């Protein structure tokens, strides 16, 4: 299945792209080079010189342009060739595809469709996470060798936590919870709610009184292609009106290729926000869970599935799949719509009547 | 060419599968998980959860069942789902393919066809090897990067020993021997017999009087898919009635994939059966021959042949190929029969007349 | 695109093939084994036994023949089987394809077409380089993971030196030069000529008076499939009649596969020919340029192009491409001619009239 083109994808953390430097990353199977203009604005180009096809990131940044490292053509941030050292003219075909990019909430976003059709009004909002104090936030990145939809499924079916992460963020709460799946426009929201005899192990020690029954509430809000908020609230049953433990998290996946994924996660919390030790312990626990538990499982899942489509393999479906299946259907519908639009003649284009 | 399904394959040494543990191995391109029931009996399942296709061996053994490590479905040793923690019902489709397994003579055998059609009467007999005293036996395993039929050819055309293993088990005896190939039902027997001026180097030092002429007799008994007995008898010509040096060996190959093989070998001898040093020296010699002489040759042979069929490449055939060619023909015929049977309507099935 | 068959390719340096030893190399996707006959003459055979397809180089050299390491067939340097230890007759099909080889100017050349059609009159001439004193010459080899035509393009469009090797052999001279491309029969000659304000960095320090303006003259003479002379002459403008710095170099590429190349280079100079230090410094500079600048660029170029043909990708063409494009067109025409000839019935062959 092709990738959704007309959408914002997370390209990386904004501060990964430092002034005067290029970084390159493959997204949706396309090599892309990122840099900052001299005014600090982000820019992104297809990472391929139209002369001999070498990556532009092997060249040199000259002001707002990249000089190709092989024969010195220069391309500005709109992809136009602005210097040809070998001739007084610039070949008309010497153009590189530019991408619309945006920096928001500390994230570098890229619109993979036509740059001039980028919908800046649709940029995701992670301002709450961005506002978290230094010691209440941590970020991470995992290159994951599976299709991006498998990572999204993983986040959208949190019942797996009770088995794969039983020692940390599981503990039975998800399995015993009532799950609700709702569509809000283009988004899918999944809620797990239950009363449980204690908080999951990784949270229990942080409760006012460990080992006591809690009210447990978790919500995932998915948006295509794979942008997810994950909010957790755990409150003591004996003090249901209290703030309890609340965390606001982001799980964002961007396809590298059909079978590999850039997985970004961002963890913030609203309790004891200045406690550096809690922060680093939480980071360590989550990093361990993602890299030593989720990632090997996802990687083996991908190996087993190969290039087959999930539904084509006829999976047994369980109640926990409801949200992820809804999201997949929405994503697939948008991709089909996009493909159909691409093959439709543009308005006003001449049509040939078939007699 | 597909693999023969209705046959016993060696899955491993029985003691590789320890109580309370799972081991997983790919056989005939299928991932399989092995474990022991609480009563000690072997069990084997397709190593793939029908929910999200992750390997079951990443889960946990719970009594006679495996709990999937991702979302906790449990499957017993017949492949039936016995626990679904997410619902009060168990989806009818939640089934894993079970395999018939048998433990005999210290070997774990698996029947790759339908479990309930497994022919226990056809289990190979290695009781003589199993009965060998501790210091008269050694076993080995080599993962080999070639098709299993190339390893079988290697054992069935022992004339190679005179060239590839000239310094150990060759020495000219095979090349000068009279070879006889006979079919015994489904089996192929190959015999090499000659009078030679001395025993092969690895045996000569063990003869009563080294450097003396010997009668040399070797027999390979092949059974599909790749199960071979190899018996050697070397007796001094000056004392032809003596027992001489006799060894009984097994060479058993199980396809991992079309181009990789699990190669098991088991070496026993009937002389000086309590001599630990002879045993370990023999093991070292053979292991060196297999891993440093046969394996690289087989690996290069596979690289050269690629996915081509041996006969499709039009090989020059030599006298030594007779047995291996006979065995290949028998194996191919059985596979063709099996494929034909699979595509025939079952007895009593409705037939549609073609007018 | 297939490879040109009826041409001499460089197989290696002649002294790589030592008496009594075999070396094997894949050329044009074919495994080849090289050795010397007892009279010292080079010989080359397809590196594959016609019995079971193992590489002959795993065997043993016995006089002028190779004994296969698996079952002992022996093949002489014409590819004829001369010993079959398993029978009194030699199967007629037991033949290995022989290749015509020639040793000239310290290079081992191989004709990849039919051995008896090899055109010894077409052997390239590198006698001038071969005659260079010990301390005026150095040789090198780089395995390069790109198509051989990309390496040839690299040498034929030296304008890249001003960007990729700005710190050594570039410096702006090529970009400011007048370029001339000429065909001389089957060869393509490319000349760069200019007056420049100084010699390129790697040469400037060797000039009689560094930092002074120079006349700069460079010529590449290409011959199919990828054999290139590269002559450089740099003379002080203040003394244009002087000898200046002259170097005669060879860049020779032989395809290993469609996407990997054996790249041989040979650097000689005509100035200060006994200065060992200049020689080793020049070798170090060039080796650094080729392996740390050209090779990564070529490797990324290949990755970007994949299996696509250069022209099929619609490259923007720059003035510097003129010579390389001319050479590619000539090479492609020769390959097309060769393919057409191969599919034409031979003279005198019966023709079937199509009514
Ligand atoms: S490849 Fe970029 S300028 Fe030549
Ligand atoms: S993948 Fe096994 S229970 Fe979900
Ligand atoms: S493979 Fe060469 S003689 Fe058998």
């Amino acid at each position: 299945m092709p990738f959704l083109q007309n959408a914002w994808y997370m390209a990386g953390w904004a501060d990964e792209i430092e002034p005067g430097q290029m970084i390159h990353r493959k997204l949706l199977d396309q090599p892309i080079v990122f840099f900052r203009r001299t005014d600090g604005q982000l820019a992104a180009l297809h990472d391929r010189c139209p002369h001999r096809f070498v990556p532009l990131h092997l060249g040199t940044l000259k002001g707002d342009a990249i000089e190709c490292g092989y024969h010195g053509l220069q391309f500005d941030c709109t992809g136009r060739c602005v210097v040809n050292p070998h001739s007084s003219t610039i070949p008309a075909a010497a153009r590189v595809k530019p991408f619309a990019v945006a920096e928001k909430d500390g994230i570098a976003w890229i619109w993979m469709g036509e740059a001039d059709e980028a919908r800046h009004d649709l940029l995701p909002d992670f301002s709450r996470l961005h506002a978290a104090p230094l010691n209440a936030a941590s970020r991470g990145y995992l290159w994951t060798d599976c299709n991006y939809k498998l990572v999204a499924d993983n986040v959208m079916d949190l019942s797996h936590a009770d088995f794969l992460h039983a020692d940390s963020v599981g503990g039975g709460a998800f399995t015993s919870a009532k799950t609700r799946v709702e569509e809000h426009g283009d988004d899918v929201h999944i809620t797990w709610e239950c009363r449980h005899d204690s908080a999951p192990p990784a949270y229990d020690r942080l409760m006012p009184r460990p080992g006591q029954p809690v009210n447990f509430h978790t919500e995932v809000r998915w948006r295509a292609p794979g942008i997810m908020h994950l909010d957790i609230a755990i409150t003591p049953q004996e003090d249901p009106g209290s703030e309890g433990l609340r965390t606001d998290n982001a799980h964002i996946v961007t396809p590298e290729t059909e079978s590999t994924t850039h997985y970004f996660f961002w963890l913030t919390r609203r309790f004891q926000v200045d406690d550096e030790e809690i922060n680093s312990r939480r980071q360590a626990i989550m990093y361990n869970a993602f890299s030593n538990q989720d990632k090997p499982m996802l990687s083996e899942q991908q190996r087993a599935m190969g290039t087959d489509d999930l539904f084509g393999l006829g999976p047994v479906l369980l109640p926990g799949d409801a949200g992820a299946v809804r999201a997949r259907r929405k994503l697939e519908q948008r991709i089909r719509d996009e493909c159909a639009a691409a093959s439709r003649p543009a308005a006003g284009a001449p049509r040939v009547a078939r007699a």
Side-chain angles (χ1 to χ4, degrees), chain A:
Chain A
M1 174 148 254
F3 298 112
L4 186 66
Q5 298 296 321
N6 292 302
W8 291 105
Y9 285 87
M10 179 164 173
W13 304 106
D15 55 16
E16 287 183 278
I17 309 165
E18 292 178 52
Q21 307 212 335
M22 293 178 271
I23 74 158
H24 61 104
R25 196 159 269 165
K26 184 178 275 188
L27 306 179
L28 286 65
D29 246 333
Q30 295 184 57
I32 317 237
V33 57
F34 297 90
F35 61 104
R36 287 188 184 276
R37 303 184 337 202
T38 48
D39 66 3
Q41 295 286 301
L42 290 183
L45 295 176
H46 189 208
D47 189 17
R48 184 167 296 175
C49 180
H51 174 223
R52 285 291 190 152
F53 311 115
V54 305
L56 291 173
H57 78 260
L58 292 178
T60 311
L61 213 45
K62 302 236 157 152
D64 284 1
I66 300 177
E67 180 185 87
C68 177
Y70 204 1
H71 312 91
L73 292 179
Q74 285 183 30
F75 303 91
D76 72 10
C77 56
T78 69
R80 220 162 40 93
C81 179
V82 290
V83 173
N84 173 5
H86 308 288
S87 163
S88 53
T89 59
I90 287 177
R95 294 197 145 274
V96 177
K97 176 174 162 54
F99 290 88
V101 274
E103 183 168 351
K104 188 178 170 193
D105 306 326
I107 293 177
W109 297 99
I110 184 169
W111 179 268
M112 294 298 289
E114 290 304 316
D116 52 13
E117 294 170 10
R119 292 278 305 274
H120 285 79
D121 57 312
L122 295 181
L123 277 165
D125 176 18
F126 283 96
S127 54
R128 179 189 278 277
L129 279 73
H130 196 43
L134 184 67
N135 286 318
S138 68
R139 307 180 319 190
Y141 166 80
L142 272 180
W143 179 86
T144 312
D145 50 348
C146 70
N147 182 278
Y148 69 109
K149 288 182 278 190
L150 296 185
V151 189
D153 291 348
N154 181 271
V155 177
M156 297 176 82
D157 182 0
L158 289 176
S159 76
H160 82 270
D162 289 340
F163 299 91
L164 193 54
H165 313 303
D167 57 346
S168 56
V169 295
F174 289 103
T175 304
S176 67
K178 208 172 136 332
T179 314
R180 208 171 55 237
V181 177
E182 287 168 354
E183 300 194 16
H184 291 262
D186 279 347
D187 298 356
V188 173
H189 294 195
I190 312 169
T191 320
W192 291 263
E193 196 146 28
C194 72
R195 298 165 70 81
H196 204 64
D197 47 10
S198 69
Y203 298 102
D204 191 46
R205 76 185 71 167
L206 301 168
M207 295 297 287
R209 297 211 309 148
Q212 298 301 305
V214 296
N215 291 332
F216 182 84
H217 181 100
T218 294
E219 185 180 32
V220 170
R221 296 189 299 282
W222 171 91
R223 169 170 301 183
I227 298 168
M228 292 163 285
H229 280 83
L230 191 172
D231 297 349
I232 302 176
I234 303 171
T235 42
Q237 286 180 19
E238 60 181 18
D239 183 10
S242 77
E243 169 79 354
L245 305 184
R246 286 172 178 264
T247 68
D248 302 321
N249 313 282
H251 292 254
I252 307 177
V253 291
T254 302
E256 181 185 56
T257 66
E258 192 60 42
S259 60
T260 57
T261 294
H262 302 290
Y263 176 15
F264 303 96
F265 51 87
W266 195 357
L267 314 171
T268 70
R269 67 185 197 288
R270 298 202 218 169
F271 59 93
Q272 289 158 277
V273 295
D274 294 322
D275 190 321
E276 189 185 332
E277 205 215 314
I278 288 182
N279 207 44
S280 63
R281 199 162 54 210
R282 184 169 182 230
Q283 179 166 31
I285 288 170
M286 299 310 285
Y287 196 79
N288 177 56
F290 297 159
S291 64
N292 298 330
Q293 295 171 341
D294 288 312
K295 187 176 158 168
M297 191 62 88
L298 292 165
S299 162
E300 289 287 346
Q301 188 184 8
Q302 176 68 42
R303 274 161 56 113
M305 295 178 59
T307 55
D308 290 322
D309 173 68
L310 175 69
F311 297 122
L313 286 167
V316 168
L317 289 180
L318 299 179
D321 291 304
V325 167
R326 200 83 70 92
R328 276 180 177 254
R329 297 289 187 209
K330 285 180 98 72
L331 175 60
E332 286 167 9
Q333 185 56 48
R334 282 188 57 184
I335 294 173
R336 272 194 303 271
D337 290 350
E338 200 172 88
C339 293
S343 61
R344 249 199 317 270
R351 281 157 184 268
V352 178
R354 297 192 175 215

